[in-house]
Amino acid sequence: MKSIYLEKIRLQNPLIHNITNIVAANYCANGLLAIGASPIMSANVEEMEEVPALSQALVINIGTLIGKEAEAMLLAGKTANKIGIPVVLDPVGVGATSYRKQIISQLLAEVQFALIRGNAGELATIAGEDWQAKGVDAGDGNADMNSIAKKVANQYQSVVAISGEVDVVSDGVKTVNIHNGTPMFPKITASGCLLSSVCGAFLAVAEKQHYFDAVVEACTAYAVAGEILAEKLSPTDNGQFYVGLLDQLASLSVEKIEQYGRVNNV
Amino acid sequence: MKSIYLEKIRLQNPLIHNITNIVAANYCANGLLAIGASPIMSANVEEMEEVPALSQALVINIGTLIGKEAEAMLLAGKTANKIGIPVVLDPVGVGATSYRKQIISQLLAEVQFALIRGNAGELATIAGEDWQAKGVDAGDGNADMNSIAKKVANQYQSVVAISGEVDVVSDGVKTVNIHNGTPMFPKITASGCLLSSVCGAFLAVAEKQHYFDAVVEACTAYAVAGEILAEKLSPTDNGQFYVGLLDQLASLSVEKIEQYGRVNNV
Amino acid sequence: MKSIYLEKIRLQNPLIHNITNIVAANYCANGLLAIGASPIMSANVEEMEEVPALSQALVINIGTLIGKEAEAMLLAGKTANKIGIPVVLDPVGVGATSYRKQIISQLLAEVQFALIRGNAGELATIAGEDWQAKGVDAGDGNADMNSIAKKVANQYQSVVAISGEVDVVSDGVKTVNIHNGTPMFPKITASGCLLSSVCGAFLAVAEKQHYFDAVVEACTAYAVAGEILAEKLSPTDNGQFYVGLLDQLASLSVEKIEQYGRVNNV
């Protein structure tokens, strides 16, 4: 695959507004800095018109809703739509509770997303498929991920990315599978949250008609970074993987993405 | 000592619901993944019936109460009691403020805990002993930890674990001392919070009549992981200890626990 | 330069009350432990009279305001003033939104600060200078940092520290430039937040008439720690820098500060 957007991020250093959770906030900020973007992490209702207006993308992550985050997310999402910056939705654990389902329904109804990114269980839930999620982890089920990605993409007029052993990205018309990554990713917390933020950075530097390509590159770049890192570690080096991923993102190059990337159309 | 529950965690991969603080949330999630469990970190009042119902244990940690966490903790605790999953209480800094004392009193009055785990200052406060705590750190005092553990265990019909240079675990009848660990533990933040979460994972895979054994194994396993790690580091390698502990938890084995564990009855 | 306060921190182990954000809370706690202080991270309105009263310094950081933090900050700040412990203000991203500007105005009007510490953009905003901040990052502008530091110091009768390639510290009369540090600092999140907390630890062990010296030593010590670390790393080792800084802070010595420190009066 061809890498176009990584270099643009490094040149343009886009500001990415994250409304995220208390588990992932630090890692998302560090990961965005590593990839070459700038993070701003506000979830304050009072700031949801000004912060998106300063930013080049907005990432909404429902991982831990403790205050008025849901209200902030709706307001920020609408502001971002008005301004025209891309909005990413990470529906963390949407299958776990009716509250999360309701928040996601409302967000999907009132905000136009450039990307919906989650694991198999989260996207199966959004697609209305039968799935046994496990809290915020992917869980098990038999649904076909390519069909689910396509279905959700068409329903919400958004790019959809499903992370897993094989990543699936679809815009409803084109669908690709990305055969990169490592089993280390699900062993650390916030690896999905950070990917959503990284996707935000790639979308921030892409034209609207290239959002699909930008997401494919983002997911491939991220999976390649993890894959290269895992080659050097043992399968129980969870802590080293967590920290080392930041180094890999910072040292990632067009060459590595193009050399390692294994992407095919389905 | 004999290790029984570590392997069960790795096989059953229990889901542990954590209501925890903004300092420790990330480390608890990563540490639970490392030991072989799955974390879910919700503190939202709206989710406190559904999330415990999905989980195999609940860990309540009062480290930073900023929103409606106290309300969420009570509701989640009662739900967990109804369902019959074990509940862990980590009374972080309970001696520091009257608000924390009041929250802990209420939790102890309305929720049945499988385990109360804290440092010397926190348990001395709960026992009503004279103690000079230092914020959320252990502080100094002369109380006998074995008596305090036994007293609190009897009063609340709960296992009690007091972390320190020597760990004490008591169910009110049996009391053991664990002579493992390293002075590095108090040099990193959230090491106690993570131990509480790890105890939650061990309790999740134990029968009720074996909760005491499960907590002894959890505390020993955790102390052994730190001890093995500290052998390879210098006393000022705080950052490496923080990260390396995740690797040690992930690579911990029955053999290591049984070889290193130094546990005696008192 | 001469190092006086580092050893005092290690001997006195002061308790530092931090009202900080979800991105930096963990790193500030770990960094304070590394430098030899103890952290307590409460932002609960109910605790804002008792926690400052236990503490030797208070650090207020407006990075992510999600609940009633603003109210808590005012109350804690006033309590700290009453008791006489030093208060640090970190006006994170104050230029980004009118809400942040308003909170900072109110804090500056109602609380007497021992130190206001931020990046160029934040201090330029407080000084009323024209500046193009970038979210919570420094951004660009032409203002002279020495004048800005001096101006704000005089206006608020506080020491002012501006972090950047060259750090500026002023009390309105004396002004110094610190030529230490590394370009790695802005590549990790929370490096400014942690410096504010570290300054809190240095102020906690200094007499009021030496606050300026304590801040100069804190900023120099911190910059030296980063500089020594960066010598051993590659410019893309973001993750290793983030973690290694804790090791460096823990192993920092009077000798290293005095050997590496390059501080001059302006």
Side-chain angles (χ1 to χ4, degrees):
Chain A
M1 73 153 295
K2 203 148 173 47
S3 166
I4 293 168
Y5 298 101
L6 178 66
E7 287 307 300
K8 284 189 199 281
I9 294 171
R10 302 244 166 98
L11 282 169
Q12 297 176 29
N13 187 230
L15 186 66
I16 311 302
H17 176 198
N18 294 262
I19 306 180
T20 189
N21 62 71
I22 62 166
V23 180
N26 179 279
Y27 203 49
C28 290
N30 262 331
L32 283 170
L33 287 165
I35 201 77
S38 281
I40 182 164
M41 316 305 282
S42 174
N44 192 301
V45 178
E46 309 282 344
E47 302 186 317
M48 293 304 103
E49 295 185 342
E50 285 169 286
V51 177
L54 294 169
S55 305
Q56 282 76 57
L58 166 66
V59 179
I60 292 177
N61 175 311
I62 65 156
T64 57
L65 304 163
I66 41 178
K68 291 184 180 171
E69 287 93 344
E71 194 187 326
M73 287 167 182
L74 277 168
L75 183 51
K78 287 175 188 176
T79 306
N81 280 174
K82 212 179 297 165
I83 298 163
I85 61 169
V87 189
V88 176
L89 177 65
D90 189 334
V92 180
V94 60
T97 68
S98 43
Y99 181 72
R100 291 184 192 219
K101 270 181 211 123
Q102 176 209 314
I103 299 294
I104 289 298
S105 290
Q106 204 181 349
L107 283 166
L108 286 169
E110 300 188 25
V111 177
Q112 174 61 47
F113 290 96
L115 169 65
I116 304 168
R117 195 218 64 83
N119 62 33
E122 289 152 359
L123 269 294
T125 300
I126 290 176
E129 300 283 330
D130 209 35
W131 193 271
Q132 193 54 50
K134 179 164 191 180
V136 297
D137 293 335
D140 296 301
N142 289 310
D144 174 64
M145 286 302 124
N146 290 320
S147 324
I148 285 181
K150 210 166 154 178
K151 179 179 168 184
V152 175
N154 278 316
Q155 190 173 349
Y156 298 104
Q157 293 295 303
S158 166
V159 178
V160 168
I162 307 181
S163 303
E165 213 180 301
V166 173
D167 285 359
V168 178
V169 180
S170 179
D171 66 359
V173 178
K174 290 164 285 177
T175 302
V176 302
N177 285 353
I178 303 169
H179 299 270
N180 292 100
T182 157
M184 294 302 289
F185 275 123
K187 291 187 185 174
I188 60 165
T189 197
S191 63
C193 302
L194 174 50
L195 174 53
S196 291
S197 291
V198 165
C199 286
F202 277 79
L203 288 166
V205 297
E207 298 294 312
K208 199 164 185 261
Q209 68 270 30
H210 298 129
Y211 280 175
F212 174 78
D213 293 338
V215 172
V216 171
E217 182 175 332
C219 293
T220 308
Y222 192 73
V224 164
E227 189 174 320
I228 293 174
L229 176 58
E231 286 172 5
K232 300 187 282 190
L233 298 177
S234 104
T236 57
D237 286 342
N238 296 36
Q240 288 179 63
F241 186 80
Y242 188 78
V243 175
L245 188 57
L246 299 175
D247 299 350
Q248 286 298 329
L249 291 174
S251 66
L252 202 60
S253 63
V254 170
E255 292 69 35
K256 280 186 198 164
I257 298 173
E258 296 188 347
Q259 183 195 332
Y260 279 80
R262 293 187 299 280
V263 181
N264 65 275
N265 298 309
V266 286
Chain B
M1 72 153 295
K2 203 147 173 49
S3 166
I4 293 168
Y5 298 101
L6 178 66
E7 287 305 303
K8 285 189 199 282
I9 294 171
R10 301 243 167 98
L11 282 169
Q12 295 175 31
N13 187 230
L15 186 66
I16 312 301
H17 175 198
N18 294 262
I19 306 180
T20 189
N21 62 70
I22 62 165
V23 180
N26 179 279
Y27 203 49
C28 290
N30 262 331
L32 283 170
L33 287 166
I35 201 76
S38 281
I40 182 164
M41 317 305 282
S42 174
N44 190 302
V45 178
E46 309 282 345
E47 301 187 318
M48 292 303 104
E49 296 185 341
E50 286 170 285
V51 177
L54 294 169
S55 305
Q56 282 77 56
L58 166 66
V59 180
I60 291 177
N61 176 309
I62 65 156
T64 57
L65 304 162
I66 40 176
K68 293 183 179 170
E69 288 93 345
E71 193 187 327
M73 287 167 182
L74 278 168
L75 183 50
K78 288 175 187 176
T79 306
N81 280 173
K82 211 178 298 166
I83 298 164
I85 60 169
V87 189
V88 177
L89 177 65
D90 189 333
V92 180
V94 61
T97 68
S98 44
Y99 180 71
R100 290 184 193 219
K101 271 182 211 124
Q102 176 208 314
I103 299 294
I104 289 298
S105 292
Q106 205 181 347
L107 283 166
L108 286 169
E110 301 188 25
V111 177
Q112 173 61 47
F113 289 97
L115 169 66
I116 304 166
R117 196 219 63 84
N119 62 33
E122 289 152 359
L123 271 294
T125 300
I126 290 177
E129 301 284 329
D130 209 34
W131 192 271
Q132 194 54 48
K134 180 164 191 178
V136 296
D137 292 335
D140 296 302
N142 291 312
D144 173 63
M145 287 302 124
N146 290 321
S147 325
I148 285 181
K150 211 167 154 177
K151 179 178 167 184
V152 176
N154 279 316
Q155 190 172 348
Y156 297 104
Q157 294 295 301
S158 167
V159 179
V160 167
I162 307 181
S163 303
E165 213 181 302
V166 173
D167 285 359
V168 178
V169 181
S170 179
D171 65 0
V173 179
K174 291 162 286 179
T175 302
V176 301
N177 285 353
I178 303 170
H179 299 268
N180 292 99
T182 157
M184 295 302 289
F185 275 123
K187 291 187 185 173
I188 60 165
T189 197
S191 64
C193 302
L194 175 51
L195 175 53
S196 292
S197 291
V198 165
C199 285
F202 278 80
L203 288 165
V205 297
E207 299 294 311
K208 201 166 183 257
Q209 68 270 32
H210 298 128
Y211 280 176
F212 174 78
D213 293 338
V215 172
V216 172
E217 183 175 332
C219 292
T220 308
Y222 193 73
V224 164
E227 190 174 319
I228 293 175
L229 175 59
E231 287 172 5
K232 300 187 284 189
L233 298 177
S234 104
T236 56
D237 285 342
N238 296 35
Q240 288 180 62
F241 185 81
Y242 188 77
V243 175
L245 188 57
L246 299 176
D247 298 351
Q248 286 297 330
L249 290 174
S251 65
L252 202 61
S253 63
V254 170
E255 292 68 35
K256 282 185 197 165
I257 297 173
E258 296 187 348
Q259 182 195 334
Y260 278 81
R262 292 186 300 280
V263 181
N264 65 275
N265 298 311
V266 288
Chain C
M1 71 155 295
K2 204 149 171 48
S3 167
I4 293 168
Y5 298 101
L6 178 66
E7 287 306 302
K8 285 190 198 282
I9 294 172
R10 301 247 166 97
L11 282 169
Q12 297 176 30
N13 187 231
L15 186 65
I16 311 302
H17 176 197
N18 293 263
I19 306 180
T20 188
N21 62 70
I22 61 166
V23 180
N26 179 278
Y27 202 50
C28 290
N30 261 331
L32 283 169
L33 287 166
I35 201 77
S38 280
I40 183 164
M41 318 304 283
S42 175
N44 191 302
V45 177
E46 310 282 345
E47 303 187 317
M48 292 304 103
E49 295 184 343
E50 287 169 285
V51 177
L54 295 169
S55 304
Q56 282 77 55
L58 166 65
V59 180
I60 292 177
N61 175 309
I62 65 156
T64 56
L65 305 161
I66 40 176
K68 293 181 178 173
E69 288 92 345
E71 194 186 327
M73 286 167 182
L74 278 168
L75 182 51
K78 287 176 187 177
T79 305
N81 280 174
K82 212 178 297 166
I83 298 163
I85 60 169
V87 189
V88 177
L89 177 65
D90 189 335
V92 180
V94 60
T97 68
S98 44
Y99 180 72
R100 291 184 191 219
K101 271 181 211 124
Q102 176 209 313
I103 299 295
I104 289 297
S105 290
Q106 203 181 348
L107 284 166
L108 286 169
E110 301 188 26
V111 177
Q112 174 60 48
F113 290 96
L115 169 65
I116 304 167
R117 196 218 63 82
N119 62 33
E122 290 153 358
L123 270 295
T125 300
I126 290 176
E129 300 284 329
D130 208 35
W131 193 271
Q132 193 55 48
K134 179 164 191 181
V136 297
D137 292 336
D140 296 302
N142 290 311
D144 173 64
M145 287 301 124
N146 291 320
S147 326
I148 285 181
K150 211 167 155 178
K151 179 178 168 185
V152 175
N154 278 317
Q155 190 173 349
Y156 298 104
Q157 294 295 304
S158 166
V159 179
V160 168
I162 307 181
S163 303
E165 213 180 300
V166 174
D167 284 359
V168 177
V169 181
S170 179
D171 65 0
V173 179
K174 291 163 287 179
T175 303
V176 302
N177 285 355
I178 304 169
H179 299 270
N180 292 98
T182 157
M184 294 302 289
F185 275 123
K187 291 187 185 173
I188 60 165
T189 197
S191 63
C193 302
L194 174 50
L195 174 53
S196 291
S197 291
V198 165
C199 285
F202 277 79
L203 288 166
V205 297
E207 298 295 311
K208 199 164 185 264
Q209 67 270 31
H210 299 129
Y211 280 176
F212 174 79
D213 293 338
V215 172
V216 172
E217 182 176 332
C219 293
T220 308
Y222 192 74
V224 164
E227 190 174 320
I228 293 175
L229 175 59
E231 287 171 5
K232 301 188 282 189
L233 297 177
S234 104
T236 56
D237 286 341
N238 296 36
Q240 288 180 63
F241 186 81
Y242 188 78
V243 175
L245 188 58
L246 299 175
D247 298 352
Q248 286 298 329
L249 291 173
S251 65
L252 203 60
S253 64
V254 171
E255 292 69 34
K256 280 186 198 167
I257 298 173
E258 296 187 347
Q259 182 194 333
Y260 279 80
R262 293 187 299 280
V263 181
N264 64 276
N265 298 309
V266 286

